[in-house]
């Protein structure tokens, strides 16, 4: 089994902003369960306690130091390596909590982190180096002879674009990081990695088009078969209605009505709402542009006519938080929202206790929430983008296999139409139950995706040893 060094800027439950944290944690856990030795490396943002800690200095360029490794066991993760560097420990990994703006020295923070990861690679000589998103993408440029390298693109939306001067600090093949008048960390890894994994097969195709390639479609096209798509999984130790302690009663795909009804009563009780025969729709999302919050709030005028009620759990950008709060003020009998925090228990209750799950993302490399919703028996209503297309089968187009509803067009009219179709299906009990049961029966775990990763590591390892 290959020895993998896995570098990421987020890891649940200790450093969590979005899906990157869940995906990193879920994949690492599944790889380890398959016997792969994975050293997972995360920036030391402060406040993370390790059991049995050992610590030693790393040999990094002077601008990036001093840097130290802290190695130990973290709760909920297992073996973990933290890299402690000046400027890394902050209350939020990327943004200043007051202003919501990115930390002005994020280039220094994450290029320095990448330089430190490279130093660790030199020290520990892994068989495979696995990088995730722009925060770790510069690592290859700090290695004279990099091991076989995998880059996972969780989103092309953030590339880590920074001043051209940074190229002078990248010692090896820095031209790969050059992008017009700037330095583009993600691009450098796209040009250098042996394998590029997009987080779903459809996203791997989408990013080759000018409209979805965020300026890099030609660069990606050039990599040919090095680019593949593997969908994410969900962590079924956390997301499993048969053993979820946040729910009043466990349930499974053969008997879910009572358990879900009880979860709904509890959910509605939180907002002082009473049960009715009309559907409750749920949202669990970061409030960022990508998530189509404008489409969601556009539903407001339709709610009374559908009729349906909407429960939203989400926090993030202040402008979008305001949009959601305005929606609650305009439609107090139809919309309830929690926007000031992520509430784990409420998230579980929404997945179990709503009748439809809304996900109108403008783009979505994979998306995890739609899989969590289906695992809990809540059919998703989503836009036809990215991994949503790979994971949801439209129940009007495919009567026998449908698991949710996908928009026909990427605009408010398309979204309203999909919601209408979903509510219509909800009203026909036998149809509704079939859609729910099919979604619950699919294996959404990391098992198969992790197997595909192991295959890639193995192929890269073989190619490397035949070079020697
Ligand atoms: C990013 C993407 C999301 C994906 C997650 C994990 O958050 O936006 O679609 O599921 O990364 O890969």
């Amino acid at each position: 089994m290959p020895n993998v060094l896995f570098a990421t800027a987020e890891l649940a439950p200790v450093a969590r902003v979005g899906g990157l944290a869940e995906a990193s944690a879920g994949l690492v856990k599944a790889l380890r369960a398959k016997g792969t030795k994975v050293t997972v490396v995360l920036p030391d943002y402060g406040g993370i306690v390790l059991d049995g800690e050992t610590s030693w200095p790393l040999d990094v360029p002077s601008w990036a130091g001093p840097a130290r490794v802290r190695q130990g066991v973290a709760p909920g993760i297992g073996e973990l390596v933290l890299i402690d560097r000046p400027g890394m420990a902050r209350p939020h990994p990327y943004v200043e909590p007051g202003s919501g703006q990115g930390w002005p020295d994020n280039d220094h923070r994450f290029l320095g982190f990448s330089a430190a990861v490279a130093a660790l690679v030199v020290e520990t000589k892994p068989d495979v180096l696995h990088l995730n998103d722009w925060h770790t993408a510069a690592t290859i440029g700090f290695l004279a002879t990099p091991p076989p390298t995998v880059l996972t693109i969780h989103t092309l939306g953030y590339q880590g674009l920074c001043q051209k001067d940074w190229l002078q600090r990248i010692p090896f093949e820095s031209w790969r990081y050059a992008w017009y008048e700037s330095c583009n960390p993600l691009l450098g890894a796209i040009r250098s990695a042996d394998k590029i994994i997009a987080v779903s097969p459809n996203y791997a195709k989408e990013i080759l088009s000018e409209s979805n390639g965020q300026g890099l479609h030609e660069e990606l096209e050039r990599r040919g078969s090095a680019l593949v798509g593997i969908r994410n999984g969900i962590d079924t130790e956390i997301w499993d209605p048969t053993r979820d302690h946040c729910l009043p009663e466990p349930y499974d795909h053969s008997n879910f009505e009572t358990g879900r009804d009880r979860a709904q009563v509890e959910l509605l009780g939180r907002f002082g709402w009473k049960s009715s025969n009309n559907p409750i729709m749920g949202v669990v999302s970061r409030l960022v542009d990508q998530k189509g919050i404008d489409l969601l709030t556009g539903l407001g005028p339709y709610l009374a006519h559908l009729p349906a009620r909407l429960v939203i759990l989400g926090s993030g950008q202040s402008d979008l938080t305001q949009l959601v709060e305005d929606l609650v003020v305009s439609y107090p009998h139809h919309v309830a929202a929690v926007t000031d925090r992520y509430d784990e228990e409420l998230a579980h209750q929404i997945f179990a206790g709503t009748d439809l799950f809304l996900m109108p993302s403008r783009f979505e490399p994979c998306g995890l929430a739609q899989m969590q919703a289906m695992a809990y028996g809540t059919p998703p209503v989503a836009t036809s983008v990215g991994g949503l297309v790979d994971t949801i089968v439209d129940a009007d187009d495919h009567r026998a296999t449908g698991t949710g509803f996908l928009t026909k067009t990427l605009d408010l009219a398309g979204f309203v139409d999909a919601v209408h179709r979903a509510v219509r299906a909800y009203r026909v009990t036998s149809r509704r139950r079939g859609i729910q049961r099919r979604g619950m029966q699919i294996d959404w775990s990391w098992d198969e995706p992790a197997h595909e990763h192991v295959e890639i590591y193995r192929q890269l390892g073989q190619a490397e040893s035949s070079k020697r």
Side-chain angles (χ1 to χ4, degrees), residues 18-24 133 152-155 199 232 286 290-291 359 363-368 371 446:
L20 173 58
E22 316 299 329
S24 297
D133 278 356
T152 294
I153 300 178
H154 297 265
T155 177
V199 290
N232 285 327
R286 278 178 300 137
Q290 171 193 346
K291 301 295 178 181
M359 204 161 167
F363 69 93
E364 195 61 78
C366 180
L368 304 171
M371 294 189 269
W446 271 102

Side-chain angles (χ1 to χ4, degrees), residues 178-452:
W179 183 238
Y180 297 97
E181 284 311 302
S182 51
C183 167
N184 184 332
L186 187 65
L187 172 62
I190 287 174
R191 285 175 172 162
S192 320
D194 297 286
K195 204 85 194 172
I196 302 167
I197 300 177
V199 290
S200 68
N202 190 43
Y203 192 55
K205 274 191 236 146
E206 278 181 355
I207 56 182
L208 296 175
S209 72
E210 191 173 353
S211 48
N212 293 305
Q214 308 270 358
L216 301 184
H217 62 287
E218 285 171 343
E219 295 285 342
L220 287 158
E221 181 81 58
R222 213 164 281 149
R223 295 306 319 270
S225 63
L227 170 66
V228 296
I230 302 179
R231 79 147 171 88
N232 285 327
I234 59 172
D235 187 335
T236 45
E237 273 178 30
I238 301 171
W239 300 106
D240 177 359
T242 68
R243 48 177 174 157
D244 186 328
H245 298 299
C246 298
L247 304 185
E249 183 182 316
Y251 60 87
D252 64 18
H253 65 85
S254 62
N255 187 2
F256 50 84
E257 295 277 336
T258 325
R260 285 178 47 85
D261 284 349
R262 285 193 58 190
Q264 184 160 105
V265 169
E266 216 169 271
L267 175 70
L268 296 180
R270 274 189 180 239
F271 302 103
W273 281 357
K274 299 224 156 36
S275 304
S276 78
N277 290 327
N278 295 325
I280 306 293
M281 306 191 293
V283 173
V284 178
S285 177
R286 278 178 300 137
L287 302 182
V288 292
D289 294 324
Q290 171 193 346
K291 301 295 178 181
I293 306 304
D294 53 328
L295 294 179
L296 184 68
T297 53
L299 264 191
Y302 300 91
L303 292 171
H305 306 289
L306 277 164
R309 286 177 288 175
L310 177 58
V311 176
I312 303 171
L313 169 63
S315 49
Q317 280 172 226
S318 52
D319 54 336
L320 299 177
T321 306
Q322 193 59 51
L323 263 187
V324 170
E325 281 167 7
D326 292 347
L327 189 72
V328 176
V329 172
S330 304
Y331 306 97
H333 302 297
H334 292 93
V335 187
V338 172
T339 57
D340 58 350
R341 61 182 190 280
Y342 176 73
D343 179 330
E344 180 84 28
E345 193 185 51
L346 177 57
H348 286 248
Q349 288 179 351
I350 291 177
F351 286 118
T354 56
D355 301 299
L356 295 168
F357 186 81
L358 308 186
M359 204 161 167
S361 304
R362 292 281 177 183
F363 69 93
E364 195 61 78
C366 180
L368 304 171
Q370 82 279 16
M371 294 189 269
Q372 290 159 3
M374 286 184 274
Y376 279 67
T378 305
V381 184
T383 38
S384 299
V385 296
L388 298 172
V389 173
D390 288 320
T391 49
I392 300 168
V393 178
D394 188 279
D396 279 335
D397 293 348
H398 304 275
R399 286 271 167 165
T401 54
T403 52
F405 297 85
L406 287 168
T407 59
K408 305 288 177 205
T409 54
L410 221 186
D411 52 16
L412 182 60
F415 184 50
V416 170
D417 166 69
V419 171
H420 268 288
R421 292 191 289 115
V423 169
R424 217 174 294 140
Y426 164 87
R427 300 235 170 262
V428 185
T429 308
S430 58
R431 214 183 146 207
R432 174 179 81 213
R433 288 199 180 131
I435 296 170
Q436 289 178 291
R437 188 171 299 116
R438 284 192 289 274
M440 294 180 83
Q441 281 177 310
I442 295 171
D443 176 9
W444 297 114
S445 76
W446 271 102
D447 192 53
E448 179 53 32
H451 173 73
E452 292 180 44

